[in-house]
Amino acid sequence: VGRSMQPDIPEGAFCIFKANPAGPFTGRKFLFKHRDAADPETGASYSIKRYVSQKGAEGNIKIELQPLNKEFPSIVFDGPDENITERLVIVAEFIGVIEKG
């Protein structure tokens, strides 16, 4: 549901996902479950976005979940790596669209 990942994922599309993806993750698209941050478009705690991270000496210091559609804002997670991993879970990797809605 939603338009934030257009044009790659059309509104109402059925998608294929791969469970348990391995890193590196930056630049790839995933289904995320996030706590303490709702998807700006749907208000849900699940969203499909592109993963971008900034690393520091002790791991991730900022993770940005980016929409492809520039009409929508990113979801940003800041802080120590352990704080981010408690608030953000990668559920599965987006593989492709099997049927457009």
Coordinates of all heavy atoms in Angstrom, one line a residue:
V1 N 0.8 -1.2 0.0 CA 0.0 0.0 0.0 C 0.9 1.2 0.0 O 1.9 1.3 0.8 CB -0.9 0.0 1.2 CG1 -1.7 1.3 1.3 CG2 -1.8 -1.2 1.2
G2 N 0.6 2.2 -0.8 CA 1.3 3.4 -0.8 C 2.0 3.7 -2.1 O 2.2 2.8 -3.0
R3 N 2.5 5.0 -2.2 CA 3.2 5.4 -3.4 C 4.7 5.8 -3.2 O 5.3 6.2 -4.1 CB 2.5 6.6 -4.0 CG 1.0 6.4 -4.4 CD 0.3 7.6 -4.9 NE 0.3 8.7 -3.9 CZ 1.0 9.9 -4.1 NH1 1.7 10.1 -5.2 NH2 1.0 10.8 -3.2
S4 N 5.2 5.6 -2.0 CA 6.5 6.0 -1.7 C 7.6 5.3 -2.4 O 8.7 5.8 -2.5 CB 6.8 6.0 -0.2 OG 6.9 4.6 0.3
M5 N 7.4 4.1 -2.9 CA 8.4 3.4 -3.6 C 8.2 3.3 -5.1 O 8.8 2.5 -5.9 CB 8.5 2.0 -3.1 CG 9.1 2.0 -1.6 SD 10.7 2.8 -1.5 CE 11.8 1.5 -2.2
Q6 N 7.3 4.2 -5.6 CA 7.1 4.3 -7.1 C 8.4 5.0 -7.7 O 9.0 5.8 -7.0 CB 5.9 5.2 -7.4 CG 4.6 4.5 -7.1 CD 3.4 5.4 -7.3 OE1 3.5 6.6 -7.5 NE2 2.2 4.8 -7.4
P7 N 8.8 4.6 -8.8 CA 8.2 3.7 -9.8 C 8.5 2.3 -9.7 O 7.8 1.4 -10.3 CB 8.7 4.3 -11.1 CG 10.1 4.7 -10.8 CD 10.0 5.2 -9.4
D8 N 9.4 1.9 -8.8 CA 9.8 0.4 -8.7 C 8.6 -0.4 -8.2 O 8.5 -1.6 -8.7 CB 11.0 0.2 -7.8 CG 12.3 0.7 -8.4 OD1 12.3 1.4 -9.5 OD2 13.4 0.5 -7.8
I9 N 7.9 0.1 -7.3 CA 6.8 -0.7 -6.7 C 5.5 0.1 -6.9 O 5.2 1.1 -6.1 CB 7.0 -1.0 -5.2 CG1 8.3 -1.7 -5.0 CG2 5.8 -1.9 -4.7 CD1 8.7 -1.9 -3.6
P10 N 4.7 -0.2 -7.8 CA 3.4 0.5 -8.0 C 2.4 0.3 -6.9 O 2.5 -0.7 -6.2 CB 2.8 -0.1 -9.3 CG 4.0 -0.8 -10.0 CD 4.9 -1.2 -8.9
E11 N 1.5 1.3 -6.7 CA 0.5 1.2 -5.7 C -0.3 -0.2 -5.9 O -0.7 -0.5 -7.0 CB -0.5 2.3 -5.8 CG -1.8 2.2 -5.0 CD -1.6 2.5 -3.6 OE1 -0.7 3.3 -3.2 OE2 -2.4 1.9 -2.8
G12 N -0.4 -0.9 -4.8 CA -1.2 -2.2 -4.8 C -0.5 -3.4 -5.4 O -1.1 -4.4 -5.6
A13 N 0.8 -3.3 -5.7 CA 1.5 -4.4 -6.3 C 1.8 -5.5 -5.3 O 1.8 -5.3 -4.1 CB 2.9 -3.9 -6.8
F14 N 1.8 -6.7 -5.9 CA 2.2 -7.9 -5.1 C 3.7 -8.1 -5.3 O 4.2 -8.0 -6.5 CB 1.5 -9.1 -5.6 CG 0.0 -9.1 -5.2 CD1 -0.9 -8.6 -6.1 CD2 -0.4 -9.6 -4.0 CE1 -2.3 -8.6 -5.7 CE2 -1.7 -9.6 -3.6 CZ -2.7 -9.1 -4.5
C15 N 4.5 -8.3 -4.2 CA 5.9 -8.3 -4.3 C 6.5 -9.7 -3.8 O 5.9 -10.4 -3.0 CB 6.5 -7.2 -3.5 SG 5.9 -5.6 -3.9
I16 N 7.7 -9.9 -4.2 CA 8.5 -11.1 -3.8 C 9.5 -10.6 -2.8 O 10.2 -9.6 -3.1 CB 9.2 -11.8 -4.9 CG1 8.1 -12.3 -5.9 CG2 10.0 -13.0 -4.4 CD1 8.7 -12.9 -7.2
F17 N 9.7 -11.3 -1.7 CA 10.7 -10.9 -0.7 C 11.5 -12.1 -0.3 O 11.1 -13.3 -0.4 CB 10.0 -10.4 0.6 CG 9.3 -9.1 0.4 CD1 8.0 -9.1 0.1 CD2 10.0 -7.9 0.6 CE1 7.3 -7.9 -0.1 CE2 9.3 -6.7 0.4 CZ 8.0 -6.7 0.1
K18 N 12.8 -11.9 0.1 CA 13.7 -13.0 0.6 C 13.9 -12.8 2.1 O 14.4 -11.7 2.5 CB 15.0 -12.9 -0.2 CG 16.0 -13.9 0.2 CD 17.3 -13.8 -0.5 CE 18.3 -14.8 0.0 NZ 19.6 -14.6 -0.6
A19 N 13.6 -13.8 2.9 CA 13.9 -13.7 4.3 C 15.4 -13.8 4.6 O 16.1 -14.4 3.8 CB 13.1 -14.8 5.0
N20 N 15.8 -13.3 5.7 CA 17.1 -13.5 6.3 C 18.2 -13.0 5.3 O 19.2 -13.7 5.0 CB 17.4 -14.9 6.7 CG 16.4 -15.4 7.7 OD1 16.1 -14.8 8.6 ND2 15.9 -16.6 7.4
P21 N 18.1 -11.8 4.8 CA 19.2 -11.3 3.9 C 20.5 -11.0 4.6 O 20.5 -10.8 5.8 CB 18.6 -9.9 3.4 CG 17.7 -9.5 4.5 CD 17.1 -10.8 5.1
A22 N 21.6 -11.2 3.9 CA 22.9 -10.9 4.5 C 23.4 -9.6 4.0 O 23.0 -9.1 2.9 CB 23.8 -12.0 4.0
G23 N 24.3 -8.9 4.7 CA 24.8 -7.6 4.4 C 25.9 -7.8 3.4 O 26.3 -8.9 3.0
P24 N 26.4 -6.7 2.9 CA 26.1 -5.3 3.3 C 24.7 -4.9 2.8 O 24.3 -5.4 1.7 CB 27.2 -4.4 2.7 CG 27.7 -5.2 1.5 CD 27.5 -6.7 1.9
F25 N 24.1 -4.0 3.5 CA 22.7 -3.6 3.2 C 22.5 -2.3 2.4 O 21.5 -2.1 1.8 CB 21.9 -3.5 4.5 CG 21.9 -4.8 5.3 CD1 22.3 -4.8 6.6 CD2 21.4 -6.0 4.7 CE1 22.3 -6.0 7.3 CE2 21.3 -7.1 5.5 CZ 21.8 -7.2 6.7
T26 N 23.5 -1.4 2.5 CA 23.3 -0.1 1.9 C 23.0 -0.1 0.4 O 23.6 -0.8 -0.3 CB 24.6 0.8 2.2 OG1 24.7 1.0 3.6 CG2 24.5 2.1 1.5
G27 N 21.9 0.7 0.1 CA 21.5 0.8 -1.3 C 20.4 -0.2 -1.7 O 19.8 -0.1 -2.7
R28 N 20.2 -1.2 -0.9 CA 19.2 -2.3 -1.2 C 17.9 -1.9 -0.6 O 17.8 -1.1 0.3 CB 19.7 -3.6 -0.7 CG 21.0 -4.0 -1.5 CD 21.8 -5.1 -0.9 NE 21.0 -6.3 -0.5 CZ 21.5 -7.2 0.3 NH1 22.7 -7.1 0.9 NH2 20.8 -8.3 0.6
K29 N 16.8 -2.5 -1.1 CA 15.4 -2.3 -0.6 C 15.0 -3.4 0.3 O 15.2 -4.6 -0.1 CB 14.5 -2.1 -1.8 CG 14.9 -0.9 -2.7 CD 14.0 -0.9 -3.9 CE 14.7 -0.2 -5.0 NZ 15.0 -1.0 -6.1
F30 N 14.3 -3.1 1.4 CA 13.9 -4.1 2.4 C 12.5 -3.7 2.9 O 12.1 -2.6 2.9 CB 14.9 -4.1 3.6 CG 16.3 -4.5 3.2 CD1 17.2 -3.5 3.0 CD2 16.6 -5.8 3.1 CE1 18.5 -3.9 2.6 CE2 17.9 -6.2 2.8 CZ 18.9 -5.2 2.5
L31 N 11.9 -4.8 3.5 CA 10.7 -4.6 4.3 C 11.2 -4.5 5.7 O 11.9 -5.3 6.2 CB 9.8 -5.8 4.1 CG 8.6 -5.9 5.1 CD1 7.6 -4.7 4.9 CD2 7.9 -7.2 5.0
F32 N 10.9 -3.4 6.3 CA 11.3 -3.1 7.7 C 10.1 -3.1 8.7 O 9.0 -2.7 8.3 CB 11.9 -1.7 7.8 CG 13.2 -1.5 7.0 CD1 13.1 -1.0 5.7 CD2 14.4 -1.8 7.5 CE1 14.2 -0.8 4.9 CE2 15.5 -1.7 6.7 CZ 15.5 -1.1 5.5
K33 N 10.4 -3.5 9.9 CA 9.5 -3.2 11.0 C 10.3 -2.2 11.9 O 11.4 -2.4 12.2 CB 9.3 -4.5 11.8 CG 8.4 -4.2 13.0 CD 8.1 -5.5 13.8 CE 7.1 -5.1 14.9 NZ 6.9 -6.2 15.8
H34 N 9.6 -1.1 12.2 CA 10.3 -0.1 13.0 C 9.4 0.3 14.2 O 8.2 0.4 14.1 CB 10.6 1.1 12.2 CG 9.7 1.4 11.0 ND1 8.6 2.2 11.2 CD2 9.8 1.1 9.7 CE1 7.9 2.3 10.0 NE2 8.6 1.6 9.1
R35 N 10.1 0.5 15.3 CA 9.4 1.0 16.5 C 9.8 2.5 16.7 O 10.8 2.9 16.3 CB 10.0 0.2 17.7 CG 9.7 -1.2 17.7 CD 10.2 -1.9 19.0 NE 10.1 -3.3 18.8 CZ 11.1 -4.2 19.0 NH1 12.2 -3.7 19.5 NH2 10.9 -5.4 18.9
D36 N 8.9 3.2 17.3 CA 9.1 4.6 17.6 C 9.2 5.5 16.4 O 9.6 6.6 16.5 CB 10.4 4.8 18.5 CG 10.4 4.0 19.7 OD1 9.3 3.8 20.3 OD2 11.5 3.6 20.1
A37 N 8.8 5.0 15.3 CA 8.7 5.8 14.0 C 7.7 5.2 13.1 O 7.8 4.0 12.8 CB 10.1 5.9 13.4
A38 N 6.8 6.0 12.7 CA 5.8 5.5 11.8 C 6.1 5.9 10.4 O 6.8 6.9 10.1 CB 4.4 6.1 12.1
D39 N 5.7 5.1 9.4 CA 5.9 5.4 8.0 C 5.1 6.7 7.7 O 3.9 6.8 8.1 CB 5.4 4.3 7.1 CG 5.6 4.5 5.6 OD1 5.0 5.5 5.1 OD2 6.4 3.8 5.1
P40 N 5.8 7.7 7.2 CA 5.1 9.0 7.0 C 3.9 9.0 6.1 O 3.0 9.8 6.2 CB 6.2 9.9 6.4 CG 7.5 9.2 6.6 CD 7.2 7.8 6.8
E41 N 3.9 8.0 5.2 CA 2.8 7.9 4.2 C 1.6 7.2 4.8 O 0.5 7.6 4.7 CB 3.2 7.2 2.9 CG 2.1 7.1 1.9 CD 2.6 6.4 0.7 OE1 3.6 5.7 0.6 OE2 1.8 6.5 -0.3
T42 N 1.8 6.0 5.5 CA 0.7 5.2 5.9 C 0.5 5.2 7.4 O -0.5 4.7 7.9 CB 1.0 3.7 5.5 OG1 2.2 3.2 6.2 CG2 1.2 3.6 4.0
G43 N 1.5 5.7 8.2 CA 1.4 5.6 9.6 C 1.6 4.3 10.2 O 1.5 4.1 11.4
A44 N 2.0 3.3 9.4 CA 2.2 1.9 9.9 C 3.6 1.7 10.4 O 4.5 2.5 10.2 CB 2.0 1.0 8.7
S45 N 3.8 0.6 11.1 CA 5.1 0.3 11.7 C 5.9 -0.6 10.7 O 7.0 -1.0 11.1 CB 5.0 -0.4 13.1 OG 4.2 -1.5 13.0
Y46 N 5.4 -0.9 9.6 CA 6.1 -1.7 8.6 C 6.2 -0.8 7.3 O 5.2 -0.1 7.0 CB 5.3 -3.0 8.2 CG 5.4 -4.0 9.2 CD1 4.5 -4.1 10.2 CD2 6.4 -5.0 9.1 CE1 4.6 -5.1 11.2 CE2 6.5 -6.0 10.1 CZ 5.6 -6.1 11.1 OH 5.7 -7.1 12.0
S47 N 7.3 -0.9 6.6 CA 7.5 -0.1 5.4 C 8.5 -0.8 4.5 O 9.4 -1.5 5.0 CB 7.8 1.3 5.6 OG 9.0 1.5 6.3
I48 N 8.4 -0.5 3.2 CA 9.5 -0.9 2.3 C 10.2 0.4 1.9 O 9.6 1.3 1.4 CB 8.9 -1.5 1.0 CG1 8.0 -2.8 1.4 CG2 10.0 -2.0 0.0 CD1 7.2 -3.3 0.2
K49 N 11.5 0.3 2.1 CA 12.3 1.5 1.8 C 13.8 1.0 1.4 O 14.1 -0.1 1.6 CB 12.5 2.4 3.0 CG 11.2 3.0 3.5 CD 10.6 4.1 2.6 CE 9.4 4.7 3.2 NZ 8.1 4.1 2.8
R50 N 14.5 2.0 0.8 CA 15.9 1.7 0.5 C 16.7 2.1 1.8 O 16.5 3.1 2.4 CB 16.4 2.6 -0.6 CG 17.8 2.4 -1.0 CD 18.3 3.3 -2.2 NE 17.6 4.5 -2.3 CZ 17.3 5.1 -3.4 NH1 17.7 4.6 -4.6 NH2 16.6 6.2 -3.5
Y51 N 17.7 1.2 2.1 CA 18.5 1.3 3.3 C 19.8 2.1 3.0 O 20.5 1.7 2.1 CB 18.8 -0.1 3.8 CG 19.7 -0.2 5.0 CD1 19.1 -0.4 6.2 CD2 21.1 -0.1 4.9 CE1 19.9 -0.6 7.4 CE2 21.9 -0.2 6.1 CZ 21.3 -0.5 7.3 OH 22.1 -0.6 8.4
V52 N 20.1 3.1 3.8 CA 21.3 3.8 3.7 C 21.8 4.1 5.1 O 21.1 4.5 6.0 CB 21.1 5.2 3.0 CG1 22.4 6.0 2.9 CG2 20.6 5.0 1.5
S53 N 23.1 3.8 5.3 CA 23.6 4.0 6.7 C 24.9 4.8 6.7 O 25.6 4.8 5.7 CB 23.9 2.6 7.4 OG 25.0 2.0 6.8
Q54 N 25.1 5.4 7.8 CA 26.4 6.1 8.1 C 27.0 5.4 9.2 O 26.4 5.2 10.3 CB 26.2 7.6 8.4 CG 25.6 8.4 7.3 CD 25.4 9.9 7.7 OE1 25.6 10.2 8.8 NE2 25.0 10.7 6.7
K55 N 28.3 5.1 9.1 CA 29.0 4.3 10.1 C 30.0 5.2 10.8 O 30.6 6.1 10.3 CB 29.7 3.1 9.5 CG 28.7 2.2 8.8 CD 29.2 0.8 8.8 CE 28.2 -0.2 8.1 NZ 27.2 -0.6 8.9
G56 N 30.2 4.9 12.1 CA 31.2 5.5 12.9 C 32.1 4.4 13.4 O 32.0 3.2 13.0
A57 N 33.0 4.7 14.4 CA 33.9 3.8 14.9 C 33.3 2.6 15.6 O 33.8 1.5 15.7 CB 34.9 4.5 15.9
E58 N 32.1 2.8 16.1 CA 31.4 1.8 16.9 C 30.2 1.3 16.2 O 29.2 0.7 16.8 CB 31.0 2.4 18.3 CG 32.2 2.8 19.1 CD 31.9 3.3 20.4 OE1 30.7 3.1 20.9 OE2 32.7 4.0 21.0
G59 N 30.1 1.3 14.9 CA 29.0 0.8 14.1 C 28.1 1.9 13.5 O 28.6 3.0 13.3
N60 N 26.8 1.5 13.2 CA 25.9 2.5 12.6 C 25.6 3.6 13.6 O 25.3 3.4 14.8 CB 24.6 1.8 12.3 CG 24.8 0.8 11.1 OD1 25.5 1.1 10.2 ND2 24.1 -0.3 11.3
I61 N 25.7 4.9 13.1 CA 25.4 6.0 13.9 C 24.1 6.7 13.3 O 23.4 7.4 14.0 CB 26.5 7.0 14.0 CG1 26.9 7.5 12.6 CG2 27.7 6.5 14.8 CD1 27.9 8.7 12.6
K62 N 23.8 6.3 12.1 CA 22.5 6.9 11.5 C 22.1 5.9 10.4 O 22.9 5.5 9.5 CB 22.8 8.3 10.9 CG 21.6 8.9 10.2 CD 21.9 10.2 9.7 CE 20.8 10.9 8.9 NZ 21.1 12.2 8.4
I63 N 20.8 5.6 10.4 CA 20.3 4.7 9.3 C 19.1 5.5 8.8 O 18.3 6.0 9.5 CB 19.8 3.4 9.8 CG1 21.0 2.5 10.3 CG2 19.0 2.6 8.8 CD1 20.6 1.2 10.8
E64 N 19.1 5.6 7.5 CA 18.0 6.3 6.8 C 17.2 5.4 5.9 O 17.9 4.6 5.1 CB 18.6 7.5 5.9 CG 17.6 8.4 5.3 CD 18.2 9.6 4.6 OE1 19.5 9.8 4.7 OE2 17.5 10.3 3.9
L65 N 15.9 5.3 6.0 CA 15.1 4.5 5.2 C 14.5 5.4 4.1 O 13.7 6.3 4.5 CB 14.0 3.8 6.0 CG 14.4 3.0 7.2 CD1 13.2 2.3 7.9 CD2 15.5 2.0 6.9
Q66 N 15.0 5.3 2.9 CA 14.6 6.3 1.9 C 13.6 5.8 0.9 O 13.7 4.7 0.4 CB 15.9 6.6 1.0 CG 17.0 7.3 1.8 CD 18.2 7.5 0.9 OE1 18.4 6.8 -0.1 NE2 19.0 8.4 1.2
P67 N 12.5 6.6 0.7 CA 11.6 6.3 -0.4 C 12.2 6.6 -1.7 O 13.1 7.4 -1.8 CB 10.4 7.2 -0.1 CG 11.1 8.4 0.6 CD 12.2 7.9 1.3
L68 N 11.7 6.0 -2.8 CA 12.1 6.3 -4.1 C 11.4 7.5 -4.6 O 12.0 8.3 -5.4 CB 11.9 5.1 -5.1 CG 12.7 3.9 -4.7 CD1 12.4 2.8 -5.8 CD2 14.2 4.1 -4.7
N69 N 10.2 7.7 -4.2 CA 9.3 8.8 -4.6 C 9.7 10.0 -3.7 O 9.5 10.0 -2.5 CB 7.9 8.5 -4.5 CG 6.9 9.5 -5.0 OD1 7.3 10.7 -5.1 ND2 5.7 9.1 -5.3
K70 N 10.3 11.1 -4.3 CA 10.8 12.2 -3.6 C 9.7 13.0 -3.0 O 10.0 14.0 -2.2 CB 11.6 13.1 -4.5 CG 12.8 12.4 -5.1 CD 13.7 11.9 -4.0 CE 15.0 11.2 -4.5 NZ 15.7 10.5 -3.6
E71 N 8.4 12.7 -3.2 CA 7.3 13.4 -2.5 C 7.2 13.0 -1.0 O 6.5 13.7 -0.3 CB 6.0 13.1 -3.2 CG 5.8 13.6 -4.6 CD 4.5 13.2 -5.2 OE1 3.5 13.0 -4.4 OE2 4.4 13.0 -6.4
F72 N 7.9 12.0 -0.6 CA 7.8 11.5 0.7 C 9.2 11.6 1.4 O 10.2 11.4 0.8 CB 7.4 10.0 0.7 CG 6.0 9.8 0.1 CD1 5.9 9.5 -1.3 CD2 4.9 10.0 0.8 CE1 4.7 9.4 -1.9 CE2 3.6 9.9 0.2 CZ 3.5 9.6 -1.1
P73 N 9.1 11.9 2.8 CA 10.4 12.0 3.5 C 10.9 10.6 3.9 O 10.2 9.6 3.9 CB 9.9 12.7 4.8 CG 8.5 12.4 4.9 CD 7.9 12.2 3.5
S74 N 12.2 10.6 4.2 CA 12.9 9.4 4.8 C 12.5 9.2 6.2 O 12.0 10.2 6.9 CB 14.4 9.6 4.7 OG 14.8 9.7 3.4
I75 N 12.7 8.0 6.7 CA 12.6 7.7 8.1 C 14.0 7.6 8.6 O 14.8 6.8 8.1 CB 11.8 6.4 8.3 CG1 10.4 6.4 7.7 CG2 11.7 6.1 9.8 CD1 9.7 5.1 7.6
V76 N 14.4 8.3 9.6 CA 15.7 8.4 10.1 C 15.9 7.9 11.5 O 15.1 8.2 12.4 CB 16.3 9.8 10.1 CG1 17.7 9.9 10.6 CG2 16.2 10.4 8.6
F77 N 16.9 7.0 11.7 CA 17.2 6.5 13.0 C 18.6 6.9 13.4 O 19.5 6.6 12.6 CB 17.1 4.9 13.0 CG 15.7 4.4 12.8 CD1 15.2 4.2 11.5 CD2 14.9 4.1 13.9 CE1 14.0 3.8 11.3 CE2 13.7 3.6 13.7 CZ 13.2 3.4 12.4
D78 N 18.8 7.6 14.5 CA 20.1 8.1 15.0 C 20.4 7.4 16.3 O 19.6 6.9 17.0 CB 20.0 9.6 15.3 CG 19.7 10.4 14.0 OD1 20.7 10.6 13.2 OD2 18.6 10.8 13.9
G79 N 21.7 7.5 16.6 CA 22.2 7.0 17.9 C 23.1 5.8 17.8 O 23.5 5.4 16.7
P80 N 23.5 5.3 19.0 CA 24.4 4.2 19.0 C 23.8 3.0 18.3 O 22.5 2.8 18.3 CB 24.5 3.9 20.5 CG 24.0 5.1 21.2 CD 23.1 5.8 20.3
D81 N 24.6 2.1 17.8 CA 24.2 1.0 17.0 C 23.2 0.1 17.7 O 22.2 -0.3 17.2 CB 25.4 0.1 16.6 CG 25.1 -0.9 15.5 OD1 24.3 -0.6 14.6 OD2 25.7 -2.0 15.5
E82 N 23.4 -0.2 19.0 CA 22.5 -1.0 19.8 C 21.1 -0.4 19.9 O 20.1 -1.1 20.0 CB 23.1 -1.4 21.1 CG 23.3 -0.3 22.1 CD 24.7 0.4 21.9 OE1 25.5 0.1 21.0 OE2 24.9 1.4 22.7
N83 N 21.1 0.9 20.0 CA 19.8 1.6 20.1 C 19.0 1.5 18.8 O 17.8 1.3 18.8 CB 20.1 3.1 20.4 CG 18.8 3.9 20.7 OD1 17.7 3.3 20.8 ND2 18.9 5.2 20.8
I84 N 19.7 1.6 17.7 CA 19.1 1.5 16.4 C 18.5 0.1 16.2 O 17.4 -0.1 15.7 CB 20.0 1.9 15.2 CG1 20.4 3.4 15.3 CG2 19.4 1.6 13.9 CD1 21.5 3.8 14.4
T85 N 19.3 -0.9 16.5 CA 18.9 -2.3 16.2 C 17.7 -2.7 17.1 O 17.0 -3.6 16.7 CB 20.1 -3.3 16.4 OG1 20.7 -3.2 17.7 CG2 21.2 -3.0 15.3
E86 N 17.5 -2.1 18.2 CA 16.4 -2.3 19.1 C 15.1 -1.7 18.4 O 14.0 -2.2 18.7 CB 16.6 -1.7 20.5 CG 17.5 -2.5 21.3 CD 17.7 -1.8 22.7 OE1 17.0 -0.9 23.0 OE2 18.7 -2.3 23.4
R87 N 15.3 -0.7 17.6 CA 14.1 0.1 17.1 C 13.8 -0.3 15.6 O 12.8 0.1 15.1 CB 14.4 1.6 17.2 CG 14.6 2.0 18.6 CD 15.1 3.4 18.8 NE 14.6 4.4 17.9 CZ 15.3 5.4 17.4 NH1 16.6 5.5 17.7 NH2 14.8 6.2 16.5
L88 N 14.8 -1.0 15.0 CA 14.6 -1.3 13.5 C 15.0 -2.7 13.2 O 16.1 -3.1 13.6 CB 15.5 -0.3 12.8 CG 15.5 -0.4 11.2 CD1 14.1 -0.1 10.7 CD2 16.5 0.5 10.6
V89 N 14.1 -3.4 12.5 CA 14.3 -4.8 12.2 C 14.2 -4.9 10.7 O 13.1 -4.5 10.1 CB 13.4 -5.8 12.9 CG1 13.5 -7.2 12.5 CG2 13.5 -5.6 14.4
I90 N 15.1 -5.6 10.0 CA 15.0 -5.9 8.6 C 14.2 -7.2 8.6 O 14.7 -8.3 9.0 CB 16.3 -6.0 7.9 CG1 17.0 -4.7 7.9 CG2 16.1 -6.6 6.5 CD1 18.4 -4.7 7.3
V91 N 13.0 -7.2 8.0 CA 12.2 -8.4 7.9 C 12.6 -9.2 6.7 O 12.7 -10.5 6.8 CB 10.7 -8.0 7.9 CG1 9.8 -9.2 7.7 CG2 10.3 -7.2 9.1
A92 N 12.7 -8.6 5.6 CA 13.0 -9.3 4.3 C 13.5 -8.4 3.3 O 13.3 -7.2 3.3 CB 11.8 -10.1 3.8
E93 N 14.3 -8.9 2.3 CA 14.7 -8.1 1.2 C 13.7 -8.1 0.0 O 13.2 -9.1 -0.3 CB 16.1 -8.6 0.7 CG 16.6 -7.8 -0.4 CD 18.0 -8.2 -0.9 OE1 18.5 -9.2 -0.4 OE2 18.6 -7.5 -1.7
F94 N 13.5 -6.9 -0.5 CA 12.6 -6.8 -1.7 C 13.3 -7.4 -2.9 O 14.5 -7.0 -3.2 CB 12.3 -5.3 -2.0 CG 11.6 -5.1 -3.3 CD1 10.3 -5.4 -3.4 CD2 12.3 -4.6 -4.3 CE1 9.6 -5.2 -4.6 CE2 11.7 -4.3 -5.5 CZ 10.3 -4.6 -5.7
I95 N 12.7 -8.3 -3.6 CA 13.3 -9.0 -4.8 C 12.7 -8.4 -6.1 O 13.4 -8.1 -7.0 CB 13.1 -10.5 -4.7 CG1 13.8 -11.1 -3.5 CG2 13.6 -11.2 -6.0 CD1 15.2 -10.8 -3.3
G96 N 11.4 -8.3 -6.1 CA 10.7 -7.7 -7.3 C 9.2 -7.7 -7.2 O 8.6 -8.2 -6.2
V97 N 8.6 -7.2 -8.2 CA 7.1 -7.1 -8.3 C 6.7 -8.3 -9.2 O 7.2 -8.5 -10.2 CB 6.7 -5.8 -8.9 CG1 5.2 -5.7 -9.2 CG2 7.1 -4.6 -8.0
I98 N 5.7 -9.0 -8.7 CA 5.1 -10.1 -9.5 C 3.8 -9.8 -10.2 O 3.5 -10.3 -11.2 CB 4.9 -11.4 -8.7 CG1 4.0 -11.2 -7.5 CG2 6.3 -12.0 -8.3 CD1 3.7 -12.5 -6.8
E99 N 3.1 -8.8 -9.6 CA 1.9 -8.4 -10.3 C 1.6 -6.9 -9.9 O 1.6 -6.6 -8.7 CB 0.7 -9.3 -9.8 CG -0.6 -8.9 -10.5 CD -1.7 -9.9 -10.0 OE1 -1.5 -11.1 -9.8 OE2 -2.9 -9.4 -9.8
K100 N 1.3 -6.1 -10.8 CA 1.0 -4.7 -10.5 C -0.5 -4.6 -10.2 O -1.4 -5.3 -10.7 CB 1.3 -3.8 -11.7 CG 2.8 -3.9 -12.0 CD 3.1 -3.0 -13.2 CE 4.6 -3.1 -13.4 NZ 5.1 -2.3 -14.5
G101 N -0.8 -3.8 -9.2 CA -2.1 -3.6 -8.6 C -3.1 -2.9 -9.6 O -2.9 -2.5 -10.6

